[in-house]
Amino acid sequence: MKTALIAIAAAVLIAAASALPAYWIGDSHGEARVQQAWDNDTKSRATAALEETNTSRIKEQGHANSVTRAVDDFHAAQASAAAHGAARLADAERLQRAAEGRAAQYLAMSKAGAAERDRLASHAARLDASLAEGRRVAEQLRAELIDRDQRIALLADIIRADRTLFGNASAAEANEP
């Protein structure tokens, strides 16, 4: 058995020795393939990083242009809005001054209207008093006329009675109404 073990050990050594050059060939071939894969991967990563850098740079440049345009538009709009705002404020102040002037005019008209109203009310009161006085005078005159007519009738009756008393009855009848 010893011989068999020696034979097996010798066979293993011969097989290992014959496989060793193949291992070295395969190992160097594998190493070259791994190195090539590594180089390709490194190159593709570098290309991807370069493309990402370029894409980021383009995006950043576009963003910077957009921000600059937005700021410029804002300043242009702000200047225009400030001018329009100042014009609207000036118009509002002008309208406020005009409103204050009209209010003063309305107040003066009201005071003048109140004075005119008082004058007209006083005039109307005088006219009303005059009318009442005129009615009172007219009624006094009417009463005086009635009294006069009654006195004339009384006087006529007395004259008739006197004529009758003094014998002038025929003349009294002739003068009767």
Side-chain angles (χ1 to χ4, degrees):
M1 186 126 166
K2 214 179 190 196
T3 39
L5 281 174
I6 290 180
I8 292 177
V12 169
L13 280 175
I14 292 174
S18 65
L20 188 61
Y23 170 75
W24 285 112
I25 292 173
D27 183 44
S28 65
H29 177 65
E31 181 183 354
R33 199 176 49 187
V34 167
Q35 185 64 41
Q36 184 180 13
W38 175 265
D39 291 342
N40 288 340
D41 185 51
T42 303
K43 184 178 177 183
S44 67
R45 285 183 188 215
T47 304
L50 183 60
E51 287 177 6
E52 184 66 29
T53 301
N54 288 338
T55 303
S56 294
R57 188 175 298 132
I58 290 169
K59 286 181 180 179
E60 287 173 359
Q61 189 176 23
H63 178 263
N65 289 340
S66 296
V67 168
T68 301
R69 199 173 322 117
V71 168
D72 290 344
D73 291 347
F74 170 75
H75 287 299
Q78 189 178 27
S80 175
H84 289 302
R88 286 191 301 267
L89 183 60
D91 285 345
E93 289 173 354
R94 181 185 51 80
L95 290 174
Q96 179 67 30
R97 285 189 303 273
E100 290 170 357
R102 284 192 306 272
Q105 185 179 11
Y106 297 152
L107 183 61
M109 289 169 57
S110 173
K111 287 179 181 176
E116 183 65 18
R117 189 175 51 247
D118 290 345
R119 188 190 67 76
L120 287 175
S122 176
H123 182 69
R126 285 192 310 272
L127 287 176
D128 192 36
S130 177
L131 181 63
E133 178 68 21
R135 284 186 181 166
R136 187 183 62 75
V137 168
E139 291 303 320
Q140 284 177 342
L141 287 176
R142 186 171 288 126
E144 289 291 325
L145 285 175
I146 291 172
D147 184 54
R148 184 205 63 181
D149 288 346
Q150 288 174 351
R151 287 177 190 259
I152 289 175
L154 174 65
L155 187 56
D157 287 343
I158 291 174
I159 289 174
R160 270 187 235 113
D162 284 348
R163 281 184 187 168
T164 305
L165 177 67
F166 294 120
N168 251 344
S170 62
E173 290 177 7
N175 285 337
E176 283 188 17

